[in-house]
């Protein structure tokens, strides 16, 4: 008897379950493991013995699960200690794995999950354990090193660009329009906000200004840019990453808290902060701010089919690599060609991913620091291609996950 | 020479341009008017002479325009005076219409627009003018009397129900989950919030509680309900209309402003208010609130095809009714059969629509006042059927409108 286990960790994405389904298919094709278990709620749940058998799922259930957003096996924010600080949880985990005849462990996640894979892979080698540990990338933030991009990002970018097009039109209907601010996720990196450059009408970018954490935010320059643009076209569309900072590297929302410009107001995110900044500057009082929030990471109804397929292929490849005896790695995506778009899958040592961050390239930001170059657009475009065919029930998407009260 | 004009007014919807396209097609089929003009920015723009000729659009442009959300001819919030308070603007408008040989005027809008249609229709009769005035319904709020529902509502309901399914799964991934609050539009009526009942997993409604303006909101009962549900299932999903009121009919957000429970905090909408209420009550600190905002009225990427088609048919019917000599009416939708779903179009005197509101039926609210009955679900279900095929460019929807800076 030889089994494997797959689990999910960290923040959800729209396509994270597709990686699980890709791995299930690889196991069917290669006939490698007797059972593929799903560990519920990541390492945290596995340590509690929360395992389900995914091999018994029907084809229909698998298809629904593939098109279900958000970690359908549940997730956790659990970071394993260093081995020298406590071997107990390592021992407990390996006991559970051994008791279930598990020969390979797959973890779908971001930096922290790859930290777990690196630690467990190292421990297995040191203790002579025959269990392979393999990471499958996942994050809407697109901030993992070495991989061209991460599954989950393309769908988030597509949702952001699509809703920018739509809200731009919504904010353009009156003779006297105002200023619209869209706030995206991305506390440390600007990939999500930068994907706004995809939104174009008549070949012109819809966003007049795009602000990322990677370039210092200058309040005076911002207000002067917005003022001038508002005079020119009587409306302005601004996209801003939640994590923009000033030249000292301080989050602009933190600067506001220190200076308390708006008198004890709980302003929420940076979009709302910029809104008050504009109103107070006297440019116009007609300012709206919209925070896309968690929709960015779960709106599979607006997912990219390329992204969904790549999540699947990354899961499929992970099982192939484990079959080849590899352990302690994360599957990465290499862009072999941009046009026609073509990728392949390769391995990166998991410890090189863990605790590292891939920032948005500042050479793809214009010199004014408020928009992007053609290179950025070329990078993003193929990632948002195609619409998945969701399975419907009563005209709405039919979803299946294993960790919510309605599942029982 | 005989021409007609169509214009849009009030808040946008995802499918409002489809009514314009339906009317263009009817005119082509019936060969009724030489030119169909579009009045930009409603009455306000027409009074400034902002007219474009829609008859010259190519088939491709018309198809793109049909699938473009938000008032593509621009909009206004302009309400005409009563005739006795000032005939000047009536005279000016009719002068412009006469100068352009216009024999029929179509206005796509809600209550206020129907007020305009009623006034103009009356004035035309009184002054013996041969111009027909006809209203085409439009509002995501679904609050127009006599019509079974309004074009624009089905798509908003579909977007709300879909994002509820997705954010529910997003908020269910951890072992310790929290409370999620989704705030919908609907200041006076609860139709949009009520459409949350469409969101089901395993035949169970995803929203544990749904609150509408039509039923008095009781803070103590709310906290006790939420507390009990949170103990039962370790997470709670709440949908709330922005316009909920207490037993005295005061908006709960206004009550908060008066009592200032949270110390000068600018709380934003009611979702954020309930979030603080729950946190302060000690149930849990893990509470998220999401305001869907304007996405509800422009997310054509998640529109209902039934809605898109009905908007088209309402525009088509309006021209047919004008041909038959009718004036001073709004086109209404009659639900002839629910299963199979079948509708027909009829006329309602525009003055009966103006300044009236159709509330959500309280008999479709459960006795606890926090959820809905099967009748509500049956009413909503057919309205969200089908996905429109958007026209794409670089993998994103291609849009065309006539009133934004990128159009030039």
């Amino acid at each position: 008897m030889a089994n494997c286990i797959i689990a999910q960790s960290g923040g959800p994405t729209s396509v994270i379950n597709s990686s699980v389904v890709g791995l299930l298919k690889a196991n069917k094709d290669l006939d490698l493991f007797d059972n593929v278990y799903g560990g519920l709620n990541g390492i945290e749940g596995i340590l509690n013995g929360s395992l389900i058998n995914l091999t018994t799922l029907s084809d229909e259930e698998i298809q629904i699960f593939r098109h279900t957003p958000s970690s359908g096996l549940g997730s956790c924010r659990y970071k394993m200690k260093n081995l020298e600080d406590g071997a107990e949880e390592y021992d407990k985990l390996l006991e559970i794995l051994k008791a279930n005849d598990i020969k390979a462990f797959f973890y779908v996640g971001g930096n922290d999950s790859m930290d777990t894979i690196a630690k467990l892979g190292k421990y297995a080698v040191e203790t002579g354990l025959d269990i392979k540990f393999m990471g499958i990338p996942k994050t809407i933030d697109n901030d993992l090193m070495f991989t061209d991009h991460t599954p989950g990002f393309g769908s988030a970018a597509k949702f952001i660009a699509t809703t920018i097009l739509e809200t731009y039109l919504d904010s353009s209907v009156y003779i006297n329009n105002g200023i619209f601010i869209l706030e995206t996720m991305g506390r440390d990196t600007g990939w999500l906000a930068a994907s706004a450059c995809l939104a174009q009408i008549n070949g012109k970018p819809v966003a007049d200004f795009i602000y990322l954490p990677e370039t210092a935010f200058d309040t005076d320059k911002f207000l002067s840019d917005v003022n001038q643009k508002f005079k020119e076209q009587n409306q302005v569309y601004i996209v801003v990453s939640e994590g923009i900072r000033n030249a000292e590297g301080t989050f602009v929302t933190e600067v506001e808290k220190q200076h308390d410009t708006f008198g004890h107001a709980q302003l929420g995110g940076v979009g709302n902060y910029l809104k008050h900044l504009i109103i107070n500057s006297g440019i116009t009082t007609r300012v709206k701010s919209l925070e896309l929030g968690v929709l960015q990471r779960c709106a599979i109804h607006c997912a990219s089919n390329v992204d969904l397929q790549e999540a699947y292929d990354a899961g499929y490849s992970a099982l192939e690599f484990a079959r080849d005896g590899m352990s302690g790695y994360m599957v990465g995506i290499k862009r072999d060609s941009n046009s026609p778009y073509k990728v392949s899958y390769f391995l990166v040592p998991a410890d090189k991913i863990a605790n590292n961050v891939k920032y948005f390239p500042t050479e793809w930001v214009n010199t004014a620091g408020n928009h992007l170059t053609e290179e950025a657009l070329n990078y993003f475009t193929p990632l948002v291609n195609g619409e998945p065919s969701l399975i419907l029930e009563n005209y709405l998407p039919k979803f299946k996950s294993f960790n919510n009260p309605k599942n029982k």
Side-chain angles (χ1 to χ4, degrees), chain A:
Chain A
M1 190 71 126
N3 304 318
C4 74
I5 190 168
I6 183 165
Q8 300 167 329
S9 178
T13 80
S14 293
V15 302
I16 185 168
N17 299 322
S18 190
S19 290
V20 178
V21 173
L23 184 128
L24 284 170
K25 181 63 166 62
N27 191 55
K28 206 171 177 184
D29 290 351
L30 306 176
D31 198 15
L32 199 58
F33 297 107
D34 297 300
N35 296 292
V36 178
Y37 292 116
L40 298 185
N41 296 109
I43 289 280
E44 194 178 354
I46 296 171
L47 284 167
N48 293 330
S50 299
L51 270 59
I52 57 171
N53 193 338
L54 298 172
T55 326
T56 58
L57 291 178
S58 71
D59 287 349
E60 195 206 345
E61 284 173 311
I62 288 175
Q63 276 312 303
I64 296 170
F65 186 55
R66 185 184 179 180
H67 295 94
T68 297
S70 190
S71 321
L73 301 175
S75 190
C76 68
R77 294 271 185 202
Y78 192 87
K79 200 166 172 172
M80 290 192 84
K81 289 178 195 146
N82 287 321
L83 193 53
E84 47 279 22
D85 299 331
E88 303 81 18
E89 59 180 8
Y90 287 79
D91 293 337
K92 187 174 176 195
L93 182 70
L94 294 174
E95 204 174 286
I96 291 165
L97 298 184
K98 277 192 270 185
N100 289 283
D101 298 308
I102 283 166
K103 301 295 176 197
F105 178 105
F106 301 93
Y107 216 23
V108 193
N111 315 58
D112 285 349
S113 313
M114 297 314 140
D115 183 65
T116 300
I117 286 295
K119 284 172 178 163
L120 288 169
K122 191 164 161 255
Y123 186 68
V125 169
E126 283 170 5
T127 54
L129 254 180
D130 183 26
I131 303 180
K132 311 298 175 208
F133 292 90
M134 191 65 72
I136 300 168
K138 166 277 342 168
T139 169
I140 65 162
D141 289 324
N142 201 36
D143 62 353
L144 302 189
M145 289 291 283
F146 304 108
T147 184
D148 178 78
H149 56 280
T150 57
F153 171 68
S155 294
K158 183 167 193 163
F159 179 72
I160 289 169
T162 304
T163 55
I164 286 173
L165 286 168
E166 292 168 338
T167 54
Y168 167 72
L169 291 175
D170 185 274
S171 63
S172 308
V173 300
Y174 296 114
I175 288 177
N176 289 308
N177 294 302
I179 294 174
F180 194 94
I181 303 166
L182 187 109
E183 176 182 334
T184 71
M185 283 181 166
R187 190 148 176 89
D188 296 316
T189 64
W191 296 98
L192 289 168
S195 66
C197 70
L198 288 162
Q200 304 206 336
I201 289 184
N202 271 340
K204 296 166 200 158
V206 154
D208 296 302
F209 302 114
I210 301 174
Y211 298 102
L212 315 181
E214 284 86 351
T215 50
F217 184 83
D218 178 330
T219 301
D220 294 336
K221 167 110 172 68
F222 167 74
L223 287 174
S224 132
D225 283 353
V226 170
N227 189 35
Q228 194 186 324
K229 187 63 77 177
F230 188 67
K231 279 181 181 154
E232 271 172 37
Q233 57 188 29
N234 199 28
Q235 72 174 86
V236 188
Y237 196 103
I238 299 163
V239 177
V240 61
S241 165
E242 63 175 326
I244 55 165
R245 295 142 212 243
N246 65 15
E248 286 76 44
T250 312
F251 289 116
V252 299
T253 43
E254 288 299 316
V255 178
E256 155 54 19
K257 271 185 205 154
Q258 287 155 22
H259 289 79
D260 199 19
T261 321
F262 305 132
H264 291 293
Q266 290 186 10
L267 286 173
V270 70
N272 220 10
Y273 167 72
L274 296 185
K275 171 181 164 174
H276 282 83
L277 207 57
I278 292 169
I279 292 172
N280 282 22
S281 78
I283 297 173
T284 175
T285 54
R286 294 188 305 274
V287 191
K288 263 189 197 157
S289 165
L290 181 69
E291 225 177 298
L292 288 180
V294 296
L295 278 175
Q296 289 160 91
R297 63 186 197 196
C298 64
I300 197 169
H301 76 267
C302 188
S304 149
N305 206 43
V306 159
D307 187 31
L308 189 75
Q309 183 64 41
E310 288 180 349
Y312 180 95
D313 292 341
Y316 197 104
S317 300
L319 193 106
E320 289 183 312
F321 284 125
R323 174 203 56 190
D324 298 344
M326 308 306 285
S327 182
Y329 291 90
M330 183 193 84
V331 175
I333 302 177
K334 185 170 171 292
R335 191 183 304 219
D336 296 317
S337 159
N338 198 53
S339 176
Y341 177 69
K342 210 176 156 302
V343 299
S344 56
Y345 298 86
F346 70 107
L347 292 182
V348 194
D351 59 358
K352 286 194 169 181
I353 302 287
N355 314 312
N356 247 320
V357 173
K358 186 173 79 174
Y359 294 100
F360 187 82
T362 46
E363 60 270 26
W364 289 358
V365 179
N366 67 354
T367 44
N370 57 22
H371 224 290
L372 306 173
T373 67
E374 196 72 14
E375 284 88 349
L377 183 62
N378 291 339
Y379 169 86
F380 289 123
T381 300
L383 307 184
V384 299
N385 186 6
E387 284 77 49
S389 298
L390 303 189
I391 293 153
L392 302 180
E393 185 175 56
N394 294 328
Y395 316 133
L396 291 174
K398 183 172 185 174
F399 294 142
K400 178 174 188 63
S401 75
F402 298 95
N403 60 313
N404 68 75
K406 316 292 170 189
N407 183 52
K408 280 151 200 157

